[in-house]
Amino acid sequence: MSKYDKLFEPVTLANGVQLKNRFMFAPMCDDSSDGGKVTDQQMRYMKPRAAHVGIADTGYAYVNDSGIQLPGQLSAAHDSDVPGLSRLATTMKIGGAKAILQLSHAGRGAGGSVAKGERVYAPSKLPFPWLNYDVDEMSKEDIQQVINDYREATKRAIAAGFDGVEIHNCNHDLLQQFFSASANHRTDEYGGSREKRMALPLAVLRAVKETVAASGNPDFIIGWQISPQEKHGDKLGYDVDDMLAQTDEAAKIGFDYLNISLNLSADYSNSVRPSYDIKVKGTDLSFPAYYRAAVGDRVPIFIGSNVLTADDALAAVTDADGVYVGREMLMDPDFVQKIADGQADEIINTTTIEHLKEVGLPDGFVENYADTDGSSRVVSYRNGIPLPGLD
Ligand SMILES: Cc1cc2nc3c(=O)[nH]c(=O)nc-3n(C[C@H](O)[C@H](O)[C@H](O)COP(=O)(O)O)c2cc1C
């Protein structure tokens, strides 16, 4: 008996599939694909980190060439990606984890597409003073194409042997841009009221759901990832209740688990380091407790952020069913195994660049963290979400 036993209880997803424990290796772009293709470094990095969790997520994989945020991002946009993805899925499943391919489209944030000479588009053509490239307003054909590209990417995930996909409906990606009143000024059926602004995210979920149904594999997992709020100073993209309403509609279509990303939610991440135990403003409810109203008991909820110790992980599953662990498992790939073995006090909580190399972080990833002024990359997570203890 250990006080951490609860973390090692199985979790049943909405489609009946069981995860062997409550840990998720959080989705993290490792900046190390080669033109979107899986590299050996990525395989070496992923293997020990997926080995002991119940569910392991890849970093976001773009569904088409107009949706690339970072040059080292994974691709799920081409059939030629399938062999590499298949090697990655096989590696992720070695220890019994369910292997999940995260699917994304960066919309206006597709700086990686610009570098490839691709067109960048968004729900509306607005001034984007922080971007040094043109952004088109999406036509109806573009929207249909994106929905179709999620379908095709899901087929590739299935062909590659992944256990599921997670839809990245968050972190200022295209789907979030559609839901945001500040980014979406459309007057057609994809913009305007809250219901119309959720039309694209829901259409993507429906398309993925249909693709899974047509595959004849009811065990294939669909994860739905949200950012609970979008705020820019006084300007509101949407609030926690808007996202609750969207999640409610999405749950009617059906997904197998909810991943609540606290990462880039203003109010929760800008002033304070986002943490698994923060409360929804104006309430004494945690985010999993608040969003339970939309998904009920059948859909497990994952929460995380700033989980650095076994006690953090245990506290995170007070209201949630599972806990995602990101940066801590970059530093210590054995995080889960140490808790299982009664060695929680040996978990590594601080790091150095040398240590990151020793524990198998791909070169591009290490570079990000070594890049103290954030200048050498389009996005430096070093600035946004630094590793604890790395100065
Ligand atoms: C280097 C890095 C890359 C990330 N890439 C992604 C990503 O591709 N998709 C995503 O949904 N979240 C991404 N995130 C956010 C993490 O999944 C997670 O929500 C965040 O790091 C907070 O958890 P943590 O404190 O355990 O790291 C990334 C975070 C980091 C540090």
Side-chain angles (χ1 to χ4, degrees), residues 12-340:
T12 305
L13 304 180
N15 63 353
V17 168
Q18 250 194 16
L19 310 181
K20 67 176 181 176
N21 62 40
R22 295 176 187 269
F23 289 99
M24 169 189 278
F25 180 51
M28 282 182 285
C29 178
D30 54 32
D31 259 355
S32 302
S33 302
D34 180 8
K37 301 280 188 282
V38 172
T39 59
D40 290 344
Q41 286 200 351
Q42 287 179 308
M43 306 269 294
R44 274 201 299 277
Y45 150 76
M46 186 55 101
K47 190 174 172 186
R49 290 172 174 83
H52 303 292
V53 293
I55 185 164
D57 237 332
T58 65
Y60 53 179
Y62 52 89
V63 298
N64 71 29
D65 285 343
S66 282
I68 311 172
Q69 181 153 19
L70 296 169
Q73 205 179 333
L74 271 179
S75 170
H78 304 281
D79 289 344
S80 58
D81 298 326
V82 172
L85 291 174
S86 176
R87 286 170 62 220
L88 186 60
T90 303
T91 295
M92 290 169 76
K93 296 196 290 192
I94 286 174
K98 299 297 174 192
I100 304 293
L101 181 66
Q102 191 182 69
L103 299 182
S104 81
H105 191 293
R108 66 169 184 246
S113 299
V114 177
K116 285 183 78 175
E118 297 287 340
R119 191 165 71 95
V120 175
Y121 47 65
S124 301
K125 191 169 179 63
L126 302 170
F128 299 116
W130 66 95
L131 299 178
N132 60 2
Y133 49 82
D134 281 340
V135 178
D136 288 347
E137 174 159 318
M138 286 174 81
S139 65
K140 292 269 184 65
E141 289 72 33
D142 291 331
I143 291 175
Q144 282 313 314
Q145 185 64 51
V146 164
I147 296 169
N148 203 48
D149 290 333
Y150 272 90
R151 254 185 232 284
E152 294 303 312
T154 302
K155 287 184 196 164
R156 291 184 193 109
I158 294 169
F162 275 93
D163 295 302
V165 292
E166 183 177 278
I167 301 171
H168 189 249
N169 172 42
C170 61
N171 295 347
H172 301 290
D173 241 7
L174 181 69
L175 302 188
Q176 176 167 340
Q177 290 163 33
F178 266 83
F179 195 46
S180 162
S182 100
N184 182 348
H185 294 193
R186 299 179 73 93
T187 53
D188 62 5
E189 66 267 39
Y190 292 100
S193 65
R194 178 168 82 184
E195 279 59 42
K196 289 181 174 175
R197 285 184 283 114
M198 66 175 82
L200 179 64
L202 296 182
V204 164
L205 175 59
R206 230 174 264 116
V208 168
K209 188 97 185 149
E210 284 165 11
T211 307
V212 172
S215 78
N217 179 5
D219 287 346
F220 194 79
I221 299 161
I222 302 175
W224 183 246
Q225 192 191 26
I226 58 165
S227 289
Q229 185 205 49
E230 182 191 305
K231 225 176 146 190
H232 312 269
D234 290 342
K235 262 176 81 186
L236 190 69
Y238 59 84
D239 68 14
V240 176
D241 286 317
D242 292 324
M243 186 45 90
L244 187 69
Q246 194 208 85
T247 309
D248 203 32
E249 291 305 314
K252 289 179 195 158
I253 297 168
F255 53 82
D256 300 309
Y257 69 85
L258 179 69
N259 181 351
I260 303 179
S261 176
L262 299 175
N263 188 28
L264 295 176
S265 274
D267 265 12
Y268 300 102
S269 60
N270 288 352
S271 48
V272 198
R273 180 86 18 247
S275 197
Y276 60 90
D277 55 356
I278 56 174
K279 306 283 185 242
V280 175
K281 278 219 166 120
T283 78
D284 59 0
L285 294 175
S286 67
F287 277 84
Y290 204 77
Y291 277 83
R292 187 71 68 192
V295 301
D297 290 331
R298 246 170 38 84
V299 177
I301 300 179
F302 284 80
I303 195 73
S305 293
N306 244 13
V307 169
L308 303 174
T309 65
D311 286 333
D312 289 337
L314 187 61
V317 298
T318 305
D319 295 327
D321 305 280
V323 53
Y324 59 82
V325 188
R327 292 164 304 150
E328 174 54 43
M329 287 186 67
L330 300 182
M331 295 185 283
D332 193 343
D334 300 325
F335 178 75
V336 175
Q337 196 53 33
K338 283 180 181 170
I339 301 173

